[in-house]
Amino acid sequence: MISSAFRLSSMNISRSFIKSAAAPSMARSFATGPQSGGEISDELLGRLGQLSTQALVDGLWVMGWPNAQIDGSRALHPSHKCVGRAVTLQFVPARPDIAQDKPPAGESPEYEAFEKCGPNEVLVMASVGKWDSVGGDIKFLRLKQLNVGGLVTDGSVRDTDEIINYGFPCFSYSTTARQGPAFMQPWKCNDVVNMGGVAVRPGDAIVGDQDGVVVVPAKVAEKVYSIAHGREEIEEIVKEELTKNPGPPGKYYPFMSGKIKVDSPLGQLLQYPYSQYLF
């Protein structure tokens, strides 16, 4: 006959074993970090939108951050300029079982992403291929109705004339006539996506103009603005000086705000009221 003490001891060992076996599984739930890196206010978003993409890239470069320009995403029309918080959509290569498991029709991840968009959001669509279409006039009519702040993709779009007529800013690798569903399918909304080697997190600031599209990480957006705004002010001062006194611009480089020596040629230009940029 098994004693009560032995049974109790056995139960405790079993419980310990179960907890030990479950531990790795529980730990795995922390393997994925948060999708968003922070929040950007409408006010800060407006300030970022007043800067050029060059200034923003330079600001991130000064901070030592990796490339932030989405190479290949170009404005569909010369008038297009966008700024907004990223709503992301990930496409995956077409596969029959994925097509079956993906939520159907209006519940598809792409339409979930659409409905998160408004004037202060930019839909970021991570394509599988550069020449694959992420959408056309019928799908994107909904984005027009939502008054979306912009659309950015490293793939292509089709029904180009109609999309231009819709009026919202659109940036893509190219245009195409072929359909996208034969090659890829939308799979996930608002996760971290890879756009031509650049990571985009939901909520990051997306700024696009004729020079390209730049991703400003939400976590450092205020600091990026401060550096980029300073560089733009410095560049205006330098251009004004070179207009009045023509000559080689090299003596005024570098424009690194906060590291400009007082006795340098640029430092002499930046005496009051621009002393905050001096080292």
Side-chain angles (χ1 to χ4, degrees):
M1 187 171 183
I2 300 174
S3 68
S4 298
F6 179 80
R7 284 198 300 269
L8 182 59
S9 176
S10 298
M11 290 172 63
N12 288 336
I13 291 173
S14 297
R15 288 181 183 135
S16 297
F17 176 78
I18 291 170
K19 288 180 180 179
S20 175
S25 175
M26 292 173 64
R28 292 298 297 167
S29 65
F30 296 99
T32 301
Q35 282 86 359
S36 177
E39 295 184 3
I40 296 177
S41 68
D42 290 348
E43 186 271 335
L44 176 54
L45 200 63
R47 284 190 280 131
L48 289 169
Q50 293 173 1
L51 299 179
S52 65
T53 52
Q54 314 95 280
L56 294 170
V57 163
D58 289 350
L60 284 159
W61 173 75
V62 168
M63 292 168 59
W65 281 63
N67 174 47
Q69 176 173 306
I70 301 174
D71 293 332
S73 291
R74 304 304 301 271
L76 204 58
H77 189 272
S79 65
H80 287 182
K81 180 177 173 62
C82 75
V83 59
R85 287 177 286 265
V87 173
T88 65
L89 178 67
Q90 178 67 63
F91 284 83
V92 296
R95 216 172 79 173
D97 59 328
I98 289 178
Q100 292 170 1
D101 294 341
K102 181 178 70 69
E107 301 302 316
S108 173
E110 61 189 323
Y111 301 122
E112 178 188 1
F114 284 13
E115 297 307 311
K116 294 181 182 294
C117 292
N120 287 327
E121 283 75 41
V122 171
L123 180 59
V124 178
M125 307 179 83
S127 179
V128 169
K130 295 177 179 179
W131 298 104
D132 299 329
S133 170
V134 297
D137 59 343
I138 294 179
K139 288 183 178 180
F140 294 156
L141 175 60
R142 181 55 181 155
L143 295 180
K144 175 188 176 183
Q145 294 169 344
L146 292 166
N147 196 26
V148 67
L151 184 158
V152 173
T153 181
D154 53 356
S156 294
V157 296
R158 65 184 204 158
D159 303 312
T160 308
D161 290 341
E162 195 65 25
I163 293 174
I164 291 174
N165 288 335
Y166 284 167
F168 62 79
C170 181
F171 295 76
S172 65
Y173 178 80
S174 188
T175 59
T176 185
R178 70 183 188 184
Q179 296 183 1
F183 306 96
M184 62 183 185
Q185 294 170 345
W187 183 246
K188 194 169 187 178
C189 167
N190 259 1
D191 202 352
V192 181
V193 296
N194 174 3
M195 292 285 288
V198 176
V200 182
R201 300 176 78 174
D204 285 347
I206 306 296
V207 182
D209 59 22
Q210 291 305 299
D211 285 329
V213 180
V214 174
V215 181
V216 180
K219 186 165 288 187
V220 294
E222 186 67 61
K223 185 174 182 180
V224 173
Y225 171 80
S226 177
I227 295 173
H229 177 63
R231 287 176 71 88
E232 285 209 333
E233 283 199 327
I234 292 170
E235 288 184 3
E236 286 302 317
I237 294 168
V238 171
K239 284 191 291 185
E240 183 180 345
E241 176 64 19
L242 289 172
T243 300
K244 292 188 296 185
N245 300 294
K251 66 179 180 179
Y252 296 120
Y253 282 89
F255 298 156
M256 200 169 293
S257 175
K259 297 185 178 180
I260 300 167
K261 294 182 179 180
V262 176
D263 58 352
S264 69
L266 181 56
Q268 296 302 306
L269 283 179
L270 297 179
Q271 298 298 323
Y272 183 83
Y274 300 104
S275 57
Q276 71 267 29
Y277 300 130
L278 302 178
F279 177 67

